[in-house]
Amino acid sequence: MAGKPVKTLRQRVRELMDPHEGHKEPSRAGVAINLCVLACILASLALILVEHLHRGTPGLSELLWAAEVLFTALFTVEYLLRWYGAEDRLSYPLGFFAVIDLLAIVPSYVMLAHALDIAPDFLALRLVRVSRILRLLRLFRLLKFVRHGHLLYRTAVAIRIWAAAVRHQYHLDRLMRLLSWTVLAWVAGTNLLWLTERFLADGTGPYDGYWPSYWNVVVVLVSGMDAEKPVTVPGMIEVVILLVVGICMVGMLTGEIVAIIVRSAERRGKLPLKPPDLRMENHFVVLGRNRHLTNVIRQSLSALSGPHHVLVVATDADQVDQVPGIPAKRVMAMAADPSRAEVLEEACVTSALRVVILSSDCGDEPCSDRDNRALMYALAVAARNRETPLVVELQEEESLRYAAALPSAECIVRHRFGEKLIGQAVLHPGVTSVYRELMTFSGDTNEFYVVDAPRDMVGRTFADVQRHFLEKDDEAILVVGIDWSSGNNRYVRYMLHPAGGAAHGHARHVIGPGDRLIVMAYEMPSFAQVTQEDLWSKTTMARS
């Protein structure tokens, strides 16, 4: 199979302008460009508000018009680049988003034509009459947010997870409560001390003025040094109480800061802990841990094709080291027993994209007991949502008979694959490297994909389908098999390379409407019609 295909300029432009329309993780440049476009939309809408509020201000109209011309030029370049990178250039201007983009820039061009006296007199008169309406039409730029809805959603999810992690790591809730009590003590103490000194003192004192009393009380709460002495005895008692409160507040604040520093030093190099109140969705959950955990996380993130998050749930998950090469915030840990219902609820397994259960490989207990524990985790997850896709790692083949009650679980026996690879290595020494490459997800390897057969392939034989894709020059796709299982029972009736299996009666199999093709390609085939939204919302993964 060919390696990474060389992308044309048009394909690169399409990836930059629509980073979430592809099948792989969007590039940083594409996301940055779309964020800049969003910032320009907000700025252009702010110009409309400023123009309405400050109409007639000397010199401002020229500045606003120059900014309007600049934004119109930027949106025009964006429109042309999207048009250039579109797959179907003829029908692109008629698309929903293309019409919105056009409505966002046409009013500015019409007003520009009127300002430069480019239009004929009769047309210029009409333009003058509708110029105010055209200014309102610029509010169509608000609809451009629809195009970037998925980007905004993903950004909001990332910010929510980041904010929850920071709040949990630095104990911001406790710090805010401590700060609230400090402000309450400051305000209450100031008012009480000011009332006492104002009505009970014979003469003037440092707390006779209302607003200066706030500063004097701050000095008492924070340090007590060089604090002004009240005139009355009740005022002195109140100052002593405020001084004790201040000592306690400063002590607790210092203790919290020291605890944060010590905890950060202890957690350095370890997986960050999941905040208890963080609700996750479309994430990847790993129940249990063994020596394969790091590779499972790395391979799964590569296979999911998107910035998903991974949650490791195990009794000793807080001792798991960070995965090299993967951002720390992408993988979180939760130290708890995965068999408990409240733990699974906190792990949000019902909204997870995939749940992987690893059989423990430590300790002296029998392999059957470890498999039983893994199956118990699987039953607990299935009890909450039977449609949650499960991948269960087992150590003994005898344990498969207990997995019959888990139709949504994909059970993998560790030793079964090892035995088959040994047989292949005996027959063809060194061939295990080929199998290892085929089973590895990375940015430079071909992968297996199971996709719905294209409509134009229905009614054709498998051999015709193979020849069709072999003759394609723009996309390297090798059709290796077909799955004609019905309904959700996948891989019940399938065949690898059926064109050569005449003995099995499938040599001339005709592709049907519900058949799926097993293909090998560098990335998801374009005919699969898969978007990043499908990958994020697990629509595609449910089909494949």
Side-chain angles (χ1 to χ4, degrees):
M1 287 294 295
K4 185 175 182 179
V6 179
K7 297 180 180 179
T8 63
L9 177 62
R10 183 177 172 186
Q11 291 174 331
R12 294 177 181 177
V13 170
R14 183 164 62 247
E15 290 181 356
L16 290 177
M17 302 310 297
D18 292 313
H20 293 284
E21 292 296 329
H23 312 310
K24 294 293 183 180
E25 184 173 350
S27 62
R28 294 183 179 180
V31 175
I33 290 175
N34 280 262
L35 290 177
C36 290
V37 171
L38 285 173
C40 291
I41 295 172
L42 290 173
S44 65
L45 293 174
L47 289 180
I48 300 176
L49 180 61
V50 173
E51 181 183 9
H52 176 73
L53 296 178
H54 300 279
R55 183 177 300 174
T57 303
L60 184 61
S61 299
E62 292 78 7
L63 181 61
L64 293 178
W65 177 248
E68 178 66 26
V69 172
L70 176 61
F71 286 127
T72 302
L74 291 176
F75 292 143
T76 302
V77 173
E78 178 205 4
Y79 179 82
L80 295 177
L81 288 176
R82 293 186 185 277
W83 195 353
Y84 171 76
E87 294 184 2
D88 188 357
R89 296 178 183 175
L90 293 178
S91 62
Y92 177 79
L94 303 178
F96 175 74
F97 294 123
V99 172
I100 291 176
D101 294 340
L102 190 62
L103 288 175
I105 59 178
V106 165
S108 297
Y109 275 108
V110 175
M111 288 187 293
L112 180 62
H114 169 61
L116 298 178
D117 294 329
I118 297 177
D121 293 339
F122 71 91
L123 182 59
L125 182 61
R126 292 178 178 272
L127 293 178
V128 170
R129 292 178 177 176
V130 301
S131 60
R132 295 182 180 274
I133 300 177
L134 291 175
R135 290 176 183 271
L136 293 177
L137 287 178
R138 284 187 294 172
L139 291 176
F140 271 107
R141 289 177 183 170
L142 278 172
L143 296 178
K144 287 174 68 67
F145 283 106
V146 179
R147 175 189 291 280
H148 305 276
H150 185 63
L151 176 62
L152 294 174
Y153 170 72
R154 292 278 291 276
T155 303
V157 171
I159 292 176
R160 177 170 58 85
I161 294 177
W162 172 82
V166 170
R167 187 175 70 250
H168 177 68
Q169 180 179 356
Y170 296 104
H171 291 195
L172 295 185
D173 292 338
R174 278 193 272 182
L175 290 177
M176 289 301 298
R177 284 197 298 268
L178 182 60
L179 179 62
S180 300
W181 283 107
T182 303
V183 172
L184 180 62
W186 175 37
V187 174
T190 299
N191 285 270
L192 180 62
L193 190 58
W194 175 74
L195 291 173
T196 301
E197 291 292 294
R198 184 177 179 84
F199 293 104
L200 297 182
D202 296 334
T204 59
Y207 297 94
D208 189 44
Y210 183 74
W211 295 112
S213 299
Y214 277 94
W215 171 254
N216 294 330
V217 173
V218 166
V219 175
V220 172
L221 288 174
V222 174
S223 64
M225 303 298 294
D226 299 328
E228 297 290 344
K229 180 181 178 181
V231 177
T232 63
V233 175
M236 295 180 184
I237 297 175
E238 293 170 0
V239 167
V240 172
I241 296 175
L242 290 175
L243 182 61
V244 174
V245 172
I247 293 175
C248 296
M249 293 294 182
V250 172
M252 288 188 291
L253 180 62
T254 304
E256 287 291 340
I257 295 176
V258 172
I260 291 173
I261 296 175
V262 172
R263 190 175 294 106
S264 299
E266 293 177 348
R267 297 293 308 166
R268 187 175 293 114
K270 303 293 184 182
L271 291 181
L273 299 178
K274 173 190 174 296
D277 57 343
L278 175 61
R279 304 299 302 176
M280 304 179 69
E281 59 182 7
N282 294 318
H283 57 300
F284 174 58
V285 181
V286 181
L287 303 181
R289 59 170 295 200
N290 54 29
R291 63 178 179 270
H292 305 301
L293 177 61
T294 299
N295 290 330
V296 169
I297 293 175
R298 192 187 305 277
Q299 291 290 296
S300 299
L301 286 178
S302 300
L304 290 177
S305 303
H308 297 272
H309 291 78
V310 178
L311 178 61
V312 180
V313 184
T315 54
D316 55 348
D318 54 342
Q319 301 301 319
V320 178
D321 296 331
Q322 293 182 4
V323 181
I326 296 179
K329 297 302 181 182
R330 292 278 297 277
V331 185
M332 296 183 181
M334 182 176 167
D337 185 5
S339 62
R340 298 173 57 186
E342 59 271 19
V343 173
L344 297 179
E345 175 66 23
E346 185 178 345
C348 306
V349 294
T350 56
S351 59
L353 190 67
R354 282 288 191 273
V355 177
V356 174
I357 302 173
L358 300 180
S359 180
S360 176
D361 56 4
C362 58
D364 298 330
E365 61 181 344
C367 295
S368 58
D369 293 345
R370 304 173 191 175
D371 288 350
N372 292 338
R373 185 183 303 109
L375 291 173
M376 180 178 63
Y377 296 163
L379 288 172
V381 174
R384 305 190 67 83
N385 186 2
R386 295 185 62 86
E387 297 182 357
T388 301
L390 295 172
V391 180
V392 184
E393 181 193 29
L394 301 175
Q395 299 188 23
E396 290 187 343
E397 193 165 358
E398 290 78 7
S399 302
L400 290 174
R401 57 180 179 176
Y402 300 108
L406 299 170
S408 62
E410 186 81 11
C411 297
I412 300 175
V413 180
R414 186 188 306 178
H415 301 303
R416 177 187 293 182
F417 289 93
E419 294 172 355
K420 295 182 182 298
L421 289 178
I422 291 175
Q424 291 290 336
V426 171
L427 181 61
H428 303 289
V431 77
T432 53
S433 300
V434 178
Y435 285 94
R436 182 169 57 251
E437 187 73 9
L438 291 176
M439 291 187 294
T440 300
F441 280 95
S442 67
D444 299 318
T445 60
N446 291 278
E447 318 294 352
F448 285 106
Y449 298 96
V450 182
V451 295
D452 295 333
R455 293 182 180 178
D456 56 348
M457 295 290 106
V458 176
R460 303 174 64 176
T461 64
F462 181 82
D464 293 336
V465 174
Q466 278 187 319
R467 284 192 296 269
H468 170 78
F469 286 106
L470 288 176
E471 294 173 357
K472 291 176 64 69
D473 297 329
D474 57 340
E475 203 171 7
I477 299 176
L478 178 62
V479 184
V480 298
I482 184 172
D483 177 20
W484 58 86
S485 306
S486 60
N488 295 325
N489 296 324
R490 295 167 289 168
Y491 313 121
V492 178
R493 299 177 63 241
Y494 69 94
M495 179 66 66
L496 296 179
H497 194 55
H504 299 279
H506 306 302
R508 303 295 297 174
H509 178 79
V510 176
I511 305 298
D515 291 351
R516 288 182 286 261
L517 300 180
I518 304 174
V519 303
M520 184 178 176
Y522 174 74
E523 60 183 359
M524 180 73 74
S526 58
F527 68 83
Q529 301 295 326
V530 180
T531 64
Q532 194 70 18
E533 288 87 345
D534 294 330
L535 296 173
W536 178 258
S537 60
K538 61 187 176 184
T539 304
T540 298
M541 303 193 74
R543 287 200 306 261
S544 60

